[in-house]
Amino acid sequence: MSDKTSGNLTRRSILAAGAGAALAMPGIGKAQSNWPNRPVTFVVPWGAGGGTDATARVVAAILEKEFGQPFNVINRTGGSGVVGHSAIATAAPDGYTIGMVTVEITMMHHQGLTELRPTSYTPLALMNEDPPGVTVNASSPYADVKALADAIKAAPAGRFKASGTGQGGIWHLALIGWLQAMNLKPDHVAWVPSNGAGPAMQDLAAGGIDMVTCSVPEARTMIDAGRAKSLAIMSAQRNPLFANVPTLNETLGISYSVGAWRGIGAPNGLPAEIQTRLVAALKKAYDSKEYQDFMANRGFGVRWADPAGFAAFMAAGDQAMGSAMKAAGLAKT
């Protein structure tokens, strides 16, 4: 071996050893050790003004205080929720993109809209669950849900139009379940897809549709403004904040109920250290007076699950939604 070769090997050995030592040092070569050191993108798959957007913004505000970095809420709408959910799943798993994963993730792939499913994410936390309501324009001639139901039954298919989310979304499924409970076909009321409850309520107030089947809290802004009225809630019991809104069972003898939920997820492959820190911060946010008061004041339901519980919750929901959508003729897979 020549001196030159020996010198090269020696230098390589020193460099390799130095690199190994650097990697072993805290904060060097491990970006997650000082995460977050720049703004985090918080993706919402639905439009501004709806319940998902409102929930995301209060959580993001609390996380900003906790970590000292902006958590920027970005509404990525379109494709009945596919665009936003895809933006979360396909982002780099570095902790700088998280987002709201909603009940539609247990539904979209059954429709053949996407390959995404609950297992496409690193689950962080379940934060919320709400039942749907039946809301009409304030000038609607129907004083209660029985009058509306009677009119729907008497009308030809397609005469009434409803909205609340994308085609085959949770609020669409809520409508279908209600129609089937009244022995009507799933398409007896035409569904007008929207990018969430906010845009749907705007369309309702403008007279473009006859009803919206989103949750009552999501309709609250228009209700409080005197532009809409809620006739019923699809739940086993009334919402205390909207105690004057009866259940379907009270008015029609229909016990059908289905719920929307919202949780926080990140791309698969998120480093365990970042996941642990995020979950701890989300639990702190969930338990905070700010979050609990915000949700209670708007009538939103609260429900917590940690990553393991959230994953199991989504898996069970995926199976249940698949069965329900097949029965309604919406499933393609």
Side-chain angles (χ1 to χ4, degrees):
M1 181 182 295
S2 69
D3 290 342
K4 183 177 181 181
T5 302
S6 176
N8 286 340
L9 288 174
T10 300
R11 282 193 294 274
R12 290 171 188 167
S13 299
I14 291 172
L15 289 170
L23 289 172
M25 291 174 63
I28 299 180
K30 295 183 178 181
Q32 63 264 32
S33 64
N34 63 345
W35 176 92
N37 59 12
R38 56 185 172 86
V40 176
T41 296
F42 196 135
V43 177
V44 176
W46 304 104
T52 303
D53 178 71
T55 302
R57 290 182 187 278
V58 70
V59 172
I62 297 172
L63 292 178
E64 283 189 9
K65 296 173 187 175
E66 179 69 17
F67 290 111
Q69 289 288 348
F71 277 68
N72 299 319
V73 175
I74 305 297
N75 298 92
R76 294 291 301 275
T77 63
S80 295
V82 173
V83 173
H85 281 93
S86 180
I88 302 167
T90 59
D94 56 7
Y96 290 99
T97 299
I98 62 173
M100 273 290 189
V101 178
T102 66
V103 65
E104 282 79 12
I105 198 61
T106 65
M107 306 166 71
M108 297 184 295
H109 69 93
H110 292 296
Q111 300 171 267
L113 297 176
T114 179
E115 292 298 316
L116 295 172
R117 56 195 68 222
T119 53
S120 301
Y121 305 89
T122 297
L124 298 174
L126 175 65
M127 303 285 287
N128 155 262
E129 188 176 25
D130 282 310
V134 180
T135 301
V136 297
N137 189 293
S139 62
S140 171
Y142 311 110
D144 54 43
V145 77
K146 185 180 186 307
L148 175 62
D150 289 342
I152 290 172
K153 291 175 183 178
R159 158 62 183 81
F160 281 84
K161 295 179 174 62
S163 188
T165 187
Q167 180 76 19
I170 185 61
W171 301 142
H172 186 194
L173 195 62
L175 172 69
I176 289 172
W178 179 36
L179 293 175
Q180 290 179 319
M182 294 191 295
N183 296 316
L184 297 172
K185 292 183 178 180
D187 61 352
H188 188 81
V189 171
W191 186 257
V192 180
S194 69
N195 285 321
M201 288 302 300
Q202 291 284 350
D203 198 10
L204 180 73
I209 53 178
D210 300 293
M211 71 192 85
V212 171
T213 50
C214 69
S215 68
V216 182
E218 288 178 300
R220 184 179 184 178
T221 299
M222 288 297 180
I223 294 172
D224 288 349
R227 302 179 68 187
K229 56 185 178 182
S230 190
L231 303 182
I233 186 171
M234 301 183 197
S235 176
Q237 57 189 12
R238 297 190 184 197
N239 184 322
L241 197 61
F242 306 97
N244 63 324
V245 180
T247 68
L248 282 182
N249 194 38
E250 290 178 75
T251 51
L252 298 177
I254 294 174
S255 59
Y256 175 76
S257 178
V258 65
W261 53 260
R262 304 173 183 97
I264 315 296
N268 272 334
L270 184 71
E273 179 181 343
I274 295 177
Q275 181 186 22
T276 298
R277 293 186 64 194
L278 270 168
V279 172
L282 287 168
K283 184 61 167 72
K284 186 175 179 180
Y286 177 86
D287 290 335
S288 71
K289 186 176 187 301
E290 182 178 353
Y291 180 78
Q292 293 292 329
D293 286 353
F294 178 89
M295 300 299 274
N297 289 339
R298 286 155 182 78
F300 291 154
V302 292
R303 180 168 179 176
W304 169 262
D306 63 12
F310 187 24
F313 176 86
M314 286 193 290
D318 189 65
Q319 184 176 5
M321 286 298 176
S323 298
M325 295 181 78
K326 286 176 184 176
L330 286 171
K332 295 181 180 178
T333 59

